[in-house]
Amino acid sequence: METAFNIRRRIEQVRKEIPEHVEILGAAKTRSMEDVRAAYEAGLKYFGHNYVQEAQAMIPGLEIDAKWHLIGHLQRNKARFAVELFDMVESLDSMRLARELEKRCSELEKKMPVLIEVNSGREENKTGIMPEEGVLLAEWLSGQKYLHLAGLMTMGPLTGDPEFARPFYKETRRLFEEIERQKFPNTDMKVLSMGMSNSYKVAVEEGANLVRLGTLIFGPRET
Ligand SMILES: *Cc1c(COP(=O)(O)O)cnc(C)c1O
């Protein structure tokens, strides 16, 4: 487990390296409640979980005034719990999931901001919407009562070299601007979530205003 001191030191370090308008989301998968509390006390306001089950075991018990984002693939049979737990779904990766989320949100009468997850590398085995399909999904979302589009998220192909990710971030930014230009109703394009521990600097250069950091602030994952 990481000491609170190390977590605070790392967050302060990253904060110095990125512009003020860029928010940091702590990717909390496999982390302890103590680690997340330490990051919150060091100033982080956004946290992400990949799995509903892990989130259920952490969010209600932690009682901190943070915003919780779902950042992992959501199975449709867990959509109801996701709607209850999260403040934003960043990983909206299919039309079918969008329909299911709209239905669950309407049952709970809860509005939910979502980001379209873009498969910017057009990888067959990856989740996410192909860039060509982004505008269509954005248009569909603009007609819904409970979901509303707040921006885009992408992972990009995972490699060691952050420069390799740059064209995929550029492509996601292009789609972001294209959707903005449509001026769809019920749409507020404000979040561009790109970049992880090894690639956040490149992502910020390409327009990210939310970076999702795990290893860099919490240390290496044990699993
Ligand atoms: C784990 C994870 C991150 C953070 O990864 P690190 O390399 O540990 O910073 C960001 N986004 C998603 C979707 C993740 O699953």
Side-chain angles (χ1 to χ4, degrees), residues 22 46 51 54 64 66 85 92-93 100 109-110 115 118 143 150 153 163:
V22 178
Y46 299 90
Y51 304 106
E54 218 182 338
I64 55 176
L85 282 165
L92 180 63
D93 57 12
E100 182 69 22
E109 293 191 31
K110 180 173 173 177
L115 307 184
V118 182
M153 183 271 247
E163 272 306 320

Side-chain angles (χ1 to χ4, degrees), residues 3-15 24 34-47 64 217-218:
T3 65
F5 175 80
N6 281 332
I7 290 171
R8 175 179 292 273
R9 190 174 50 81
R10 293 201 194 98
I11 289 171
E12 284 168 359
Q13 188 62 41
V14 188
R15 241 338 345 155
I24 300 170
E34 290 71 27
D35 287 351
V36 172
R37 187 182 299 283
Y40 175 74
E41 283 169 1
L44 287 208
K45 297 194 289 278
Y46 299 90
F47 292 94
I64 55 176
I217 56 182
F218 294 116

Side-chain angles (χ1 to χ4, degrees), residues 27 29 50 71 153 155 196-197 212-216 221:
K29 60 172 175 277
N50 293 66
I71 60 173
M153 183 271 247
M155 298 272 290
M196 305 176 20
S197 289
R212 307 178 309 270
L213 306 179
T215 321
L216 194 67
R221 275 185 290 278

Side-chain angles (χ1 to χ4, degrees), residues 131-145:
E132 298 73 30
E133 294 162 7
V135 174
L136 208 64
L137 180 53
E139 185 174 19
W140 185 84
L141 286 167
S142 74
Q144 304 310 304
K145 185 161 173 205

Side-chain angles (χ1 to χ4, degrees), residues 28-31 33 47-62 68-71 81-82 84-86:
K29 60 172 175 277
T30 77
R31 307 302 175 175
M33 303 234 296
F47 292 94
H49 268 295
N50 293 66
Y51 304 106
V52 166
Q53 231 165 338
E54 218 182 338
Q56 280 173 320
M58 180 183 286
I59 297 175
L62 208 48
W68 296 92
H69 291 193
L70 179 66
I71 60 173
F81 300 115
E84 283 172 354
L85 282 165
F86 289 99

Side-chain angles (χ1 to χ4, degrees), residues 73-98:
H73 174 65
L74 178 62
Q75 291 169 306
R76 276 176 297 137
N77 62 8
K78 302 225 171 73
R80 184 192 167 86
F81 300 115
V83 168
E84 283 172 354
L85 282 165
F86 289 99
D87 301 295
M88 177 183 279
V89 174
E90 291 198 19
S91 45
L92 180 63
D93 57 12
S94 73
M95 181 61 124
R96 288 173 83 193
L97 178 60

Side-chain angles (χ1 to χ4, degrees), residues 96-112:
R96 288 173 83 193
L97 178 60
R99 287 185 199 284
E100 182 69 22
L101 279 174
E102 175 68 20
K103 186 172 126 198
R104 297 304 175 184
C105 284
S106 88
E107 285 167 9
L108 296 167
E109 293 191 31
K110 180 173 173 177
K111 301 246 185 196
M112 178 67 77

